[in-house]
Amino acid sequence: MALFSNNISRLFENNPVNQVGPTGQPLIGGSIITDLGARSLGGLLGRDMRSPEEKILAAQQGIDTTTPQGAIEAAKARLQFETDINARAQISNQIIQMQRQIADDVQRDKIEQERLANIAKGEQRVHSIADALADLGDIGASNYVLDGTYSPSQGSNYLVTLKRAATVAADDLEGQKDLVNSLGYADSSRFKRLFEKDPKALNGKLFEIYVRKEEAERLKKGNVDKATVLIDTLDVSDEKKELAKKMLENDLLTTNGVGKFLTRGQTTTNFDLDGFINKDGLIVPTAIIDGKLSSWDGKQWIEGGSNNPLRPKQATGDKPIQRNSRTETSLKNVLEALKEESENDWRPGISTGVHGDFEELKGLNKLTFQSTAMDLAEARSKANRTTVQDEMRGAVEDMGKLIDNPIGRDATFSRPANLNDFVDSAPVAPASSDNGKTTTITQEMLDNSKALRERGVKVGQTITIKSS
């Protein structure tokens, strides 16, 4: 059997049919000489004597198959000379798939380019609005547009409103009334002078300031209301929701940062709104985040340490401050009173006063001022044996003198290194008395009491009303 197999295999040894040329293709005639001769003769007769593979290789010569388009061209070249039916069908499908892929890539490329162009256009619009607001001297609003607190449309509308206010001629009563009515501010106390029985126009500069403040307050309220609705929809504890709302109202949390603040997935405990001071002398909200003391910078929690040193507001051994709700109420009343006074007493070329400067404080600077004023009022109350209400106005006014409100930059306030230096001031006569009860004057009380007005009593002032 083996002898038979060997004899059979020898039949194919040196068989001219099995000979191939340099290209790997079978030699015509079984030898190189006959192959060359046959090819030459075919060429003379106008016939292409190349094999399909040779034709395919020639057609694909010079095509860059590393690119999608080159791969398609190479496949088409092979399809042109491929004789196998199944192979041709497979190559055709490959060409269709590659063409679809190229079309999809082109479409995705187009969409991405449009997206990037829109981003660039949006950024250009944001910077344009911010620059225009800065040119008008409203640095705070300019920064709000840049950090996203104001949307581009809000910033644009705000800018248009300021420009409209600037076009109203100074002391133009009807022009001022028309603009105030169109903006929906007719019920604001700032513009009550325009709608009294004997109406008077506001100073042109003052009118612009009031419009700016009204518009800023409207925008803030709208954003806070929107963020509050979002807070109530999130699946977090009620305690954390209330914390977010309080920070939002105090400019410690931006409307854009609410979601991130409430859904960070961190373990937050021992929140303290005004118990610690950072390296810049600012009161900062703190909490224990995943077991570590951290402070909130308005956008994120930052772990305390060498890069973010945090020190307690009180010295070691001091009794913890138990902030009385009446203290916060007293501060609110004083600030509202000062607000009205500063607006009523405003004169061209004169600073808007303590409260005007306070209104320019934002975020941590605002928190620091409020906390410091309340601490000072409480310290003076204890030293002078008076009520906190008696001391609050003086504390606010004294700390207000430390506000730095430079033109073209945000207002700032740093807590004094030693608040005790400000405690030893002239004591305020106690408002309480065995012969009467104390009360804090409100605007309604002044409106209804001619006697109080004649005494020169101001809103927010605490007086003793003697019993009859």
Side-chain angles (χ1 to χ4, degrees):
M1 185 67 178
L3 179 61
F4 177 77
S5 297
N6 290 335
N7 289 334
I8 292 295
S9 65
R10 289 192 186 98
L11 293 176
F12 296 95
E13 291 179 1
N14 298 319
N15 189 327
V17 176
N18 292 334
Q19 300 299 309
V20 296
T23 64
Q25 301 301 319
L27 294 173
I28 300 175
S31 69
I32 294 178
I33 295 176
T34 56
D35 180 76
L36 292 174
R39 291 176 185 276
S40 299
L41 181 60
L44 291 173
L45 295 175
R47 297 177 60 186
D48 190 347
M49 301 301 291
R50 294 176 301 171
S51 67
E53 284 299 323
E54 288 178 307
K55 295 175 182 177
I56 291 172
L57 289 173
Q60 292 178 337
Q61 190 71 27
I63 296 177
D64 182 5
T65 57
T66 61
T67 65
Q69 196 59 47
I72 291 177
E73 291 179 13
K76 287 181 177 179
R78 185 171 187 85
L79 183 63
Q80 184 179 356
F81 299 105
E82 181 58 65
T83 58
D84 185 273
I85 295 177
N86 292 330
R88 288 180 62 83
Q90 185 178 4
I91 294 171
S92 295
N93 286 334
Q94 289 176 345
I95 292 173
I96 293 173
Q97 291 175 5
M98 288 189 289
Q99 288 174 331
R100 286 176 178 173
Q101 183 63 47
I102 289 178
D104 289 343
D105 290 343
V106 169
Q107 182 63 20
R108 276 195 295 270
D109 233 15
K110 180 181 179 182
I111 294 173
E112 179 64 10
Q113 291 300 321
E114 289 177 351
R115 185 184 73 84
L116 293 176
N118 288 334
I119 290 176
K121 185 177 180 180
E123 290 177 347
Q124 183 179 6
R125 183 188 179 203
V126 165
H127 284 280
S128 176
I129 295 170
D131 290 345
L133 287 170
D135 290 341
L136 290 178
D138 200 330
I139 305 301
S142 176
N143 290 334
Y144 281 161
V145 172
L146 291 175
D147 67 19
T149 300
Y150 290 171
S151 68
S153 59
Q154 287 179 322
S156 178
N157 291 336
Y158 180 79
L159 176 62
V160 169
T161 298
L162 297 192
K163 289 183 175 180
R164 289 177 64 190
T167 60
V168 177
D171 302 326
D172 179 2
L173 176 61
E174 293 306 315
Q176 291 181 4
K177 290 173 66 174
D178 288 344
L179 181 58
V180 168
N181 281 321
S182 68
L183 294 174
Y185 299 150
D187 293 332
S188 170
S189 60
R190 291 187 174 108
F191 302 107
K192 62 182 180 181
R193 184 187 304 177
L194 302 178
F195 301 95
E196 294 175 341
K197 290 184 178 180
D198 184 19
K200 296 179 181 179
L202 296 170
N203 172 275
K205 189 63 178 178
L206 179 61
F207 181 73
E208 292 181 37
I209 292 174
Y210 283 2
V211 169
R212 175 175 66 83
K213 290 183 177 181
E214 288 288 344
E215 191 69 5
E217 289 172 5
R218 183 186 67 79
L219 282 174
K220 179 181 177 180
K221 184 179 184 305
N223 286 338
V224 169
D225 289 345
K226 185 185 299 183
T228 300
V229 172
L230 171 62
I231 289 171
D232 289 332
T233 64
L234 296 175
D235 186 19
V236 296
S237 67
D238 290 341
E239 181 182 4
K240 210 167 185 181
K241 288 180 180 179
E242 291 306 312
L243 169 60
K245 291 176 183 178
K246 189 170 184 179
M247 293 180 68
L248 194 65
E249 291 171 357
N250 286 280
D251 298 324
L252 299 172
L253 181 64
T254 64
T255 53
N256 292 334
V258 168
K260 182 184 292 185
F261 177 75
L262 291 177
T263 60
R264 291 184 64 86
Q266 298 165 318
T267 302
T268 307
T269 59
N270 295 57
F271 178 80
D272 190 344
L273 186 60
D274 68 348
F276 286 82
I277 301 174
N278 67 9
K279 61 182 179 181
D280 298 320
L282 295 175
I283 301 293
V284 288
T286 56
I288 303 299
I289 307 294
D290 294 336
K292 299 178 181 178
L293 179 66
S294 304
S295 64
W296 179 257
D297 72 347
K299 298 180 181 179
Q300 60 185 339
W301 289 106
I302 302 177
E303 183 179 331
S306 58
N307 293 328
N308 181 33
L310 301 171
R311 60 182 175 86
K313 185 172 67 175
Q314 291 181 276
T316 304
D318 287 354
K319 292 182 179 180
I321 293 178
Q322 298 296 327
R323 186 80 76 202
N324 192 305
S325 61
R326 286 178 295 181
T327 301
E328 296 181 356
T329 301
S330 178
L331 174 66
K332 181 179 179 181
N333 290 338
V334 167
L335 290 176
E336 288 180 350
L338 287 172
K339 171 185 175 181
E340 184 169 347
E341 290 172 22
S342 65
E343 291 175 349
N344 290 337
D345 296 338
W346 189 90
R347 296 291 184 274
I350 300 177
S351 169
T352 53
V354 174
H355 186 272
D357 289 337
F358 169 75
E359 281 194 307
E360 302 304 320
L361 294 174
K362 307 296 180 185
L364 296 180
N365 287 283
K366 179 180 179 180
L367 171 66
T368 302
F369 179 85
Q370 291 175 316
S371 174
T372 304
M374 287 189 290
D375 288 346
L376 180 58
E378 289 176 337
R380 285 179 174 175
S381 171
K382 183 178 180 181
N384 300 328
R385 296 184 179 182
T386 56
T387 67
V388 171
Q389 290 84 352
D390 290 328
E391 303 289 354
M392 187 60 72
R393 184 180 180 106
V396 169
E397 291 179 342
D398 287 346
M399 291 299 97
K401 297 172 184 176
L402 303 182
I403 296 175
D404 184 16
N405 189 16
I407 297 176
R409 286 185 292 147
D410 290 339
T412 60
F413 175 85
S414 294
R415 184 184 179 89
N418 187 0
L419 194 60
N420 289 330
D421 292 341
F422 293 83
V423 173
D424 298 329
S425 59
V428 177
S432 58
S433 169
D434 293 337
N435 298 323
K437 63 177 182 177
T438 62
T439 186
T440 301
I441 300 301
T442 65
Q443 184 61 52
E444 183 179 4
M445 294 171 66
L446 280 183
D447 292 341
N448 295 328
S449 175
K450 181 179 179 182
L452 288 177
R453 292 196 301 271
E454 290 177 346
R455 286 174 57 186
V457 176
K458 297 182 179 297
V459 174
Q461 184 176 339
T462 301
I463 65 172
T464 299
I465 299 179
K466 295 182 179 181
S467 57
S468 55

